[in-house]
Amino acid sequence: MTKSINTDLGLAMTGGGARAAYQVGVLRHICNTHVEFRPPIITGVSAGAVNAAHLAAYQGTFCDAVDQLAELWLELTTDKVFHTGSGFFFSNFLRWGLSFILGGSRIGPRKRSLLDSDPLRIFLEKKLASKATDRIYGIQENIDKGLLKVLGISSTNYGTGKAITWVQGNVESHWQRPRRRSESTEITIEHIMASTALPLIFPAVKLEDGWHGDGGIRSIAPLSPTMHLGAKKILAISTRYRGGEVIPDENMIGEFAPVAQIIGILLDSIFLDLLDYDAANMSRINMLYEEVNETTRKELNKVELLILRPSQDLGKLASQYEVKLPQPFRYFTRGFGTRDTKSPDSLSLLMFQPDYLNRLIELGEKDAQQNADQIEKFLSKENT
């Protein structure tokens, strides 16, 4: 077994709602073959922020943290993420509908989203927060012990339109770029809730500087936070299937484009496609790095990158489990046309069914095993 301790190694986990369970499977395989694996730089966005916070806070070995994270995911059900009762759906959508009909007039309490994510907040507080305080116990403790260098979690400020990376730990300097910047803080459950707040679907969350939502909305460079926090090698785990690059394009719809298909494409373009664009830019910079002189090299950052991603279409996979969703929520998803597309990506974001999540974890392990040689080369000391 290879020891893969690397002080410049960063772990970047993207979003994807329920699909983030896939990341746990990938990490589980890595831990089984690299028992010393412990990235000191961890970043997460959207559902990846849940994984990042847990791994950064766990008091024990990194591999034990991954095992515990797998248990956390397998405990999740839709009713632990958002309210699924028929009463909630009826009253919520009735208010939305009347508000549209009446030109925005308020009917009862103002509704901020299609779904209510308070159950997820309660679940995460039980799993991550200290019983005595609201802080996430373990993050600062691991930093003080030298087991963690820095944790970064991103969200989007709805007021300014900027992507904010909330940083806890040792960072040499903060960055300010067009539409994105970093800020030091003590990361709390509220930061995680903000990062996971899918636009319109989940409510925005009030943080220090305003109302925030999902960190992937304005994240034009998803790998940038990990690099800015000091990573020279980045292991990125995507939840985006890219089978179309190696197999002929497949038409996913029939006579018309259902709302579910359109929403899925939009969400993929917001949260997942930019990772590939950012990786391509990083590859070009690395090639340029080899061609320029020493003076110019000082202005560039060469970063080694390995992206691991699903070998199966997770939208197609999710459609197999839709029948097991709570009835009110199943009517909601089918009302958007999930049965009219072969790959309902929007459904896969919200498919918090234990059997589906377990399938994703198993797929992550399998895919990591199939890429074992790449992972070994990337993590080996000789490649640092």
Side-chain angles (χ1 to χ4, degrees):
M1 293 185 182
T2 303
K3 290 187 177 182
S4 52
I5 298 174
N6 185 341
T7 57
D8 296 328
L9 176 62
L11 173 63
M13 289 173 285
T14 63
R19 289 185 286 189
Y22 174 84
Q23 298 168 346
V24 184
V26 172
L27 293 173
R28 177 181 277 181
H29 173 79
I30 293 175
C31 281
N32 287 338
T33 55
H34 299 76
V35 294
E36 299 296 330
F37 178 72
R38 186 166 202 139
I41 301 167
I42 302 177
T43 62
V45 60
S46 194
V50 176
N51 292 341
H54 173 88
L55 295 173
Y58 187 80
Q59 298 292 283
T61 69
F62 190 85
C63 293
D64 285 343
V66 172
D67 288 338
Q68 291 297 314
L69 184 57
E71 292 185 15
L72 182 152
W73 274 97
L74 294 177
E75 284 185 43
L76 277 177
T77 54
T78 50
D79 61 345
K80 290 181 180 178
V81 179
F82 48 84
H83 289 297
T84 59
S86 56
F88 166 80
F89 277 91
F90 178 77
S91 62
N92 195 38
F93 284 94
L94 178 62
R95 290 195 184 101
W96 274 96
L98 288 175
S99 180
F100 279 119
I101 293 173
L102 300 176
S105 297
R106 183 182 300 186
I107 307 296
R110 183 179 295 278
K111 307 309 294 182
R112 298 186 294 151
S113 60
L114 293 174
L115 300 175
D116 183 356
S117 58
D118 274 348
L120 177 60
R121 176 183 280 103
I122 294 171
F123 180 80
L124 292 178
E125 286 174 349
K126 291 180 179 179
K127 295 297 180 180
L128 297 178
S130 168
K131 294 180 180 179
T133 66
D134 291 332
R135 66 187 291 265
I136 300 177
Y137 177 81
I139 297 176
Q140 191 58 48
E141 286 74 7
N142 281 334
I143 292 172
D144 294 340
K145 293 176 184 176
L147 299 175
L148 175 71
K149 179 181 177 182
V150 64
L151 169 66
I153 287 178
S154 299
S155 65
T156 301
N157 186 315
Y158 282 143
T160 64
K162 286 189 174 183
I164 311 297
T165 298
W166 304 97
V167 177
Q168 182 171 351
N170 304 314
V171 56
E172 292 184 3
S173 61
H174 285 284
W175 63 92
Q176 177 81 38
R177 299 289 187 276
R179 296 193 297 177
R180 53 193 171 96
R181 64 179 176 85
S182 64
E183 185 172 324
S184 290
T185 191
E186 181 178 32
I187 291 174
T188 66
I189 296 295
E190 292 305 293
H191 292 94
I192 301 173
M193 290 300 298
S195 187
T196 60
L198 292 169
L200 298 180
I201 298 176
F202 292 149
V205 177
K206 186 70 175 294
L207 296 180
E208 292 95 310
D209 62 343
W211 290 94
H212 285 247
D214 197 296
I217 300 174
R218 299 302 294 270
S219 181
I220 59 176
L223 298 172
S224 176
T226 320
M227 183 178 67
H228 280 301
L229 293 177
K232 302 299 183 185
K233 294 166 68 79
I234 300 176
L235 172 63
I237 308 177
S238 174
T239 59
R240 168 76 155 148
Y241 170 68
R242 289 176 63 191
E245 294 187 355
V246 294
I247 60 176
D249 291 341
E250 179 183 1
N251 187 14
M252 295 298 176
I253 60 177
E255 297 179 356
F256 68 100
V259 174
Q261 180 71 8
I262 297 172
I263 292 176
I265 292 174
L266 288 174
L267 291 175
D268 279 349
S269 66
I270 293 172
F271 302 124
L272 303 176
D273 292 350
L274 286 174
L275 175 65
D276 301 317
Y277 176 78
D278 201 19
N281 282 340
M282 189 172 291
S283 177
R284 286 191 286 269
I285 291 174
N286 287 343
M287 287 189 291
L288 179 63
Y289 185 90
E290 300 297 335
E291 300 296 329
V292 299
N293 57 41
E294 290 296 329
T295 302
T296 306
R297 283 187 181 186
K298 294 179 181 179
E299 301 177 5
L300 300 174
N301 289 317
K302 181 179 180 180
V303 178
E304 296 180 57
L305 173 67
L306 175 63
I307 299 179
L308 300 174
R309 62 177 74 250
S311 60
Q312 296 182 29
D313 186 330
L314 302 189
K316 283 185 177 180
L317 198 61
S319 64
Q320 301 175 21
Y321 297 89
E322 186 178 23
V323 68
K324 297 184 179 182
L325 288 170
Q327 188 180 65
F329 182 60
R330 187 169 71 249
Y331 285 168
F332 167 72
T333 59
R334 289 180 173 178
F336 280 98
T338 55
R339 288 185 293 181
D340 298 317
T341 172
K342 297 177 184 178
S343 178
D345 279 355
S346 56
L347 178 63
S348 68
L349 294 171
L350 301 172
M351 182 60 69
F352 292 96
Q353 286 294 112
D355 45 3
Y356 174 68
L357 299 175
N358 186 60
R359 182 84 174 271
L360 294 186
I361 293 173
E362 291 177 349
L363 179 62
E365 288 189 87
K366 178 183 176 182
D367 288 348
Q369 184 176 8
Q370 291 177 344
N371 290 280
D373 290 343
Q374 279 185 287
I375 295 171
E376 172 65 30
K377 181 180 179 182
F378 180 79
L379 293 178
S380 65
K381 285 188 174 182
E382 290 74 20
N383 194 38
T384 59

